[in-house]
Amino acid sequence: MVESDGVAKAFAGDRRAGDPAQALTAILQTQYLRYVIIATWALGLLGTVPWWQAMLWFVVTVAAGSIRGVVEHKLSHRVDVGWGMVFPAVGAATTAAWAIAPLMAWFSDASFGRPLAIALIISGFVLVFAQLRSSPRQAMIISSPYAGAAGIILLSLWGKPEFWSMLAVLPFTAACLFVLVTMTMLREGRIDAFQAHQAHLIEELEAARDKANAANDAKSNFLGVISHELRTPMNGVLGAAQLLGATRLEGAQREYLSIIRNSGDNLLSLLNDILDMTKIEAGKMTFEVVDVVVEDLQRRITGPFEAQAEAKGLIFVSEWEGEIPSVVRGDPLRVCQVVQNLLSNAVKFTDAGEIRYVVRGHRISDRRVGFEFSVKDSGAGISPADLERLFQPFTQVDASSTRRFGGTGLGLTIARRMANIMHGDIDVTSTVGEGSCFTLTVEADVVEWASPVAPERVEAEAETVECLRVLVVEDHPVNRMILEAWMSTASHVTVTAEDGQLAVEAALAQAFDLIIMDVNMPVMDGLTATRLIRDGGGVNAETPIVVLSASARKEDHQAGLSAGADAYLTKPIDFGALAEMMSRVPGGREAVGRASVGEEQSVAA
């Protein structure tokens, strides 16, 4: 009557009415319930038959139920073998043991025997059809012993007045079973229709998701291309501006040159914000966990802003509070990026007064510390209504056409999302007319609490390199011209190549002290050319190679290093960083590789 464990699991996905597998899955999923029902029937029999007869019926029926459970378990592994009528036949055979109970009650001498027999027959039919309501054919076969018991009872009443009364019960019972089956099939029809509609909606959602993912990938690829295409001409603009700044200029010319450089730097900052926002939304923002000397981190954070505050006539105060370890583990570049954004806004939006930067530390455990980087200014402050939308992307507190300050409105959005990725947050309190206080809270693992003894710093003086032979591989003629012009001012000899193929040929023909390799070029890209030079075994197989990348993405820089380059420079080129890198060329590839660390920090911060 009630299904054993495992059968429902085997056929849980089959929803076809009338199928034998559906009949099995429709039975109740716990085998113990059938034994509870058998026990209740045996208790009912105790009121009509001797106790030993009720006990005998209980034992036989339990044994039949156990045998049925074993058969059902075996059938559950033979769904596709065509076992057809095996399950209904086994079910009918075990139901025969159940059907003996109403006959025992009917033919007993107890006054309550006949009503109990009719109740047991009706309940037996209901139990079978309730379990197999989606498979009425199997239900009719399995319940046939109850029909046989009802037939025997009718024969025993033949010629008696009770015959017609008993006969009248049969259509009543059949009508109830018909209603039960019909209502069940109608309900399951609605369920099937709903599931079909749901499956259709899921397919549409999956298609929409795939389209959205494709669009997001296309956006990321587009931004990568735009990054390169914007940075390449900007390399020419800012590079030429740097070269022009080294010449004799009149006051007005120098002022115009300053405008060009400041505008280019602002455009670079805007581009970096958009790329960072895109990487965060795509879940591709990468974070590193390295050992960080907190004192060095502090100097990196505050260095640029002390001079900016002084230039505006502001007082810049930097303080330490609480327990602050000496060395922690974290991502110094991202922490710098977040805190420097807060400091930049504080200097930008404060006309008079002071900027107070406070680093607070509190010990969580011996190996864990909590930091609060607090930036408080004496600016105009922010109203409560504006605070609610302060961290929304592309939103500014002053969005009017007469606003004093430009920008994309992405800085604080990026800063908070980076803080969230680092399991921290940014809080803000502000009073209109008095100023604002932004606080970055973040935790870190502690490496050292006490300040280690500073080792004696041995740093080789940058050698004065009188002349280096440099191969410049760049497809853009303006960029080649600027690099050649700068190299010539530093007394270096340059050979140029317009694509990777020409670079490989030049590297095979003569030895160079340094190769500066652009990435995206026609005919052959820079990464392929770098691999060929490294694997070719020629005179430049161990020559330092610096990848010149227009992309600010870290994964693109890493791709250059994986191809065999020793360092990378990001367009527009910082000639100061290039000069520092070239001063290390006599030390070989390892020395040039160390110079890329500083470049990475400047790009990320």
Side-chain angles (χ1 to χ4, degrees):
M1 292 283 300
V2 181
E3 175 213 12
S4 60
D5 267 348
V7 177
K9 297 177 183 177
F11 303 100
D14 197 335
R15 299 288 302 171
R16 296 172 294 171
D19 189 78
Q22 172 62 14
L24 274 177
T25 57
I27 298 176
L28 300 178
Q29 294 187 359
T30 170
Q31 61 179 334
Y32 303 106
L33 186 55
R34 72 162 53 138
Y35 303 114
V36 173
I37 298 174
I38 293 173
T40 59
W41 281 34
L43 288 175
L45 286 177
L46 284 175
T48 59
V49 300
W51 68 268
W52 62 270
Q53 292 182 10
M55 181 59 68
L56 179 61
W57 176 87
F58 175 79
V59 172
V60 171
T61 309
V62 168
S66 301
I67 294 173
R68 178 179 172 179
V70 173
V71 173
E72 286 172 349
H73 181 72
K74 291 182 178 180
L75 291 179
S76 67
H77 302 290
R78 302 176 56 211
V79 178
D80 299 323
V81 183
W83 39 270
M85 296 299 297
V86 176
F87 163 67
V90 173
T94 55
T95 303
W98 291 65
I100 295 175
L103 293 178
M104 293 171 63
W106 182 266
F107 291 108
S108 68
D109 296 331
S111 58
F112 184 67
R114 291 191 173 187
L116 176 62
I118 296 174
L120 291 177
I121 289 177
I122 294 176
S123 65
F125 275 114
V126 171
L127 284 172
V128 173
F129 276 86
Q131 296 172 51
L132 304 177
R133 53 189 178 273
S134 61
S135 304
R137 293 182 180 178
Q138 280 72 29
M140 291 176 64
I141 296 173
I142 293 176
S143 64
S144 59
Y146 296 118
I152 293 173
I153 291 173
L154 277 175
L155 289 177
S156 68
L157 294 175
W158 181 258
K160 298 179 181 179
E162 292 87 349
F163 175 81
W164 299 105
S165 299
M166 181 64 182
L167 189 62
V169 174
L170 298 182
F172 162 76
T173 305
C176 292
L177 297 177
F178 176 78
V179 171
L180 173 64
V181 171
T182 302
M183 294 299 293
T184 299
M185 295 185 71
L186 289 175
R187 187 195 65 176
E188 293 193 353
R190 290 193 295 268
I191 292 175
D192 291 340
F194 172 77
Q195 290 179 338
H197 179 65
Q198 191 177 43
H200 178 67
L201 290 178
I202 291 174
E203 290 178 358
E204 291 184 343
L205 289 174
E206 290 177 346
R209 179 201 62 196
D210 294 340
K211 290 181 180 178
N213 289 338
N216 187 62
D217 292 340
K219 178 184 70 174
S220 299
N221 293 333
F222 171 76
L223 287 174
V225 173
I226 288 297
S227 169
H228 178 271
E229 296 302 326
L230 286 179
R231 288 175 180 274
T232 297
M234 284 186 64
N235 182 57
V237 174
L238 296 182
Q242 291 186 59
L243 291 175
L244 187 59
T247 63
R248 292 185 178 181
L249 299 174
E250 298 178 0
Q253 292 173 330
R254 192 164 296 280
E255 182 178 351
Y256 297 153
L257 179 61
S258 176
I259 293 173
I260 293 174
R261 297 190 64 173
N262 289 337
S263 298
D265 291 339
N266 290 338
L267 184 56
L268 269 180
S269 177
L270 185 152
L271 179 61
N272 289 335
D273 282 350
I274 294 176
L275 290 175
D276 282 342
M277 191 68 184
T278 303
K279 287 192 286 187
I280 290 174
E281 290 181 345
K284 296 181 179 179
M285 177 64 73
T286 57
F287 289 79
E288 292 185 341
V289 179
V290 297
D291 289 352
V292 182
V293 178
V294 178
E295 187 175 352
D296 292 344
L297 178 67
Q298 180 79 346
R299 283 196 297 267
R300 284 179 52 193
I301 291 175
T302 60
F305 299 100
E306 293 177 345
Q308 292 182 22
E310 182 180 354
K312 288 189 68 173
L314 303 175
I315 300 173
F316 189 93
V317 179
S318 178
E319 298 177 338
W320 301 74
E321 295 181 3
E323 294 184 279
I324 298 179
S326 174
V327 182
V328 297
R329 289 189 61 79
D331 191 328
L333 306 180
R334 300 306 181 190
V335 172
C336 278
Q337 188 171 355
V338 173
V339 179
Q340 287 183 345
N341 179 273
L342 303 181
L343 286 169
S344 175
N345 286 341
V347 174
K348 179 179 179 180
F349 295 107
T350 303
D351 293 327
E354 71 172 19
I355 307 296
R356 183 172 295 273
Y357 171 58
V358 181
V359 180
R360 301 183 183 90
H362 62 276
R363 184 191 295 258
I364 299 175
S365 66
D366 289 341
R367 289 298 175 184
R368 195 73 175 167
V369 65
F371 281 110
E372 290 184 3
F373 298 89
S374 176
V375 178
K376 185 177 182 180
D377 61 64
S378 57
I382 306 171
S383 66
D386 292 329
L387 283 177
E388 295 180 359
R389 57 190 182 92
L390 189 62
F391 293 96
Q392 296 178 7
F394 302 104
T395 301
Q396 291 183 320
V397 171
D398 182 8
S400 66
S401 59
T402 59
R403 59 192 173 100
R404 296 172 54 198
F405 305 101
T408 61
L410 284 175
L412 285 176
T413 303
I414 294 172
R416 169 167 272 186
R417 294 195 181 183
M418 283 187 176
N420 295 155
I421 295 174
M422 293 186 290
H423 306 290
D425 200 5
I426 295 178
D427 298 319
V428 56
T429 58
S430 184
T431 303
V432 177
E434 296 183 9
S436 305
C437 181
F438 289 81
T439 303
L440 165 66
T441 57
V442 69
E443 295 182 4
D445 292 329
V446 177
V447 178
E448 293 285 347
W449 280 100
S451 298
V453 177
E456 182 180 355
R457 187 171 182 180
V458 179
E459 185 173 317
E461 295 291 333
E463 298 182 33
T464 302
V465 183
E466 295 183 358
C467 180
L468 292 178
R469 291 188 57 82
V470 182
L471 173 60
V472 176
V473 188
E474 168 65 67
D475 64 315
H476 200 285
V478 175
N479 292 342
R480 287 202 308 274
M481 180 194 71
I482 290 174
L483 283 169
E484 284 184 280
W486 184 85
M487 294 286 182
S488 64
T489 61
S491 302
H492 301 305
V493 177
T494 59
V495 175
T496 61
E498 300 178 4
D499 57 62
Q501 182 62 48
L502 294 176
V504 173
E505 295 174 359
L508 292 175
Q510 57 183 305
F512 294 99
D513 300 308
L514 175 67
I515 299 175
I516 299 178
M517 181 77 69
D518 190 21
V519 173
N520 295 318
M521 294 180 294
V523 183
M524 179 184 294
D525 64 87
L527 301 185
T528 302
T530 299
R531 295 188 188 97
L532 291 177
I533 292 173
R534 289 288 183 234
D535 298 337
V539 292
N540 292 291
E542 293 301 319
T543 298
I545 298 179
V546 177
V547 170
L548 186 59
S549 173
S551 172
R553 299 194 310 165
K554 185 176 180 180
E555 50 266 36
D556 292 335
H557 295 162
Q558 186 60 45
L561 300 180
S562 300
D566 303 295
Y568 59 79
L569 289 173
T570 303
K571 296 179 182 178
I573 299 175
D574 182 351
F575 285 109
L578 179 58
E580 168 66 18
M581 191 170 293
M582 293 186 68
S583 70
R584 296 173 178 264
V585 169
R589 295 181 59 186
E590 183 178 352
V592 173
R594 287 197 299 269
S596 69
V597 177
E599 172 64 15
E600 178 181 359
Q601 294 175 348
S602 64
V603 170

